[in-house]
Amino acid sequence: MPPLPRSHPPAKVEEEIPISVLAIEEQEETIWISLNAISASEFPPCIKNIIRGAGGEKGMHRRGAILASFLGQCGWSEKEAGSLWRGAISAEERIYRKWFGNMNCPKCETMQRQSKGYPDLGIEDLELCQPDEKCQRIKSPVEYAADLFAEEELSRGRQEHIRTIFLARLFNWKTGKEFDIDLTAEEKEDLESLKNKQMETDSANTILIFTWTKFRGKLRPKFRLMETDLPRRRMLSELL
């Protein structure tokens, strides 16, 4: 049987989607960090533009997150990186603490997208990306600065574990397609608890519902069980 078509997660906040859970996979997220501090002269055009303040004050949170994560991967000490960051960025210190050494610098593909603002790190509207010839050969600012053009060149740095995430593969009954979302450990436990409850009760009369909810300014997945006296097939039909 061919794989089911995949789609992006539903975009509408608070839209309730009937789903089935197909799988939950544990994934370890790591970050590559250069063994030696990379000279600022080797930085790519986008990072140099952020440091020199090109384009004014717009998008400071996005600029700050990108620069902090970049310096963390380029082997700079927290003190030296913090000094440079504070001289270039006028944003809350929490942005630096969150991203330095804890997050991967976004890839060029992400940065070249339009963004409605932080935490989405697209900076197309800021016009900071001014590719040179070397940019055509790399996929991220860190690859540019560290000259990471081949797998073996990763030996010039070290891999550090930063977090464990859980990838949930769900089936959207409205679209007939699969989609993936990242879950925290707590969200995974909540989802598995609902699945177990659904199995323990009369699963023919319950259905799992997915929606987005805002938590501390961020969209996070939320799940609940919907119970009904209607047969499952009829209930799905009315939801769709």
Side-chain angles (χ1 to χ4, degrees), residues 114-158:
Q114 284 278 1
S115 168
K116 293 183 178 180
Y118 182 84
D120 185 336
L121 299 186
I123 55 171
E124 195 275 339
D125 60 309
L126 305 181
E127 299 182 353
L128 297 170
C129 180
Q130 299 174 354
D132 59 16
E133 184 177 345
K134 187 176 179 181
C135 289
Q136 311 308 316
R137 303 168 56 200
I138 53 88
K139 296 181 180 180
S140 76
V142 174
E143 288 184 7
Y144 184 112
D147 289 330
L148 300 179
F149 299 112
E151 188 74 20
E152 56 269 18
E153 290 164 347
L154 291 173
S155 63
R156 295 200 292 266
R158 66 185 186 277

Side-chain angles (χ1 to χ4, degrees), residues 66-80:
I66 291 168
L67 182 57
S69 60
F70 173 82
L71 294 173
Q73 288 192 260
C74 284
W76 282 48
S77 71
E78 185 171 358
K79 181 178 180 180
E80 292 179 335

Side-chain angles (χ1 to χ4, degrees), residues 178-190:
E178 298 177 22
F179 66 96
D180 297 332
I181 58 169
D182 293 338
L183 302 177
T184 64
E186 184 178 358
E187 290 164 349
K188 167 184 171 289
E189 290 177 3
D190 289 344

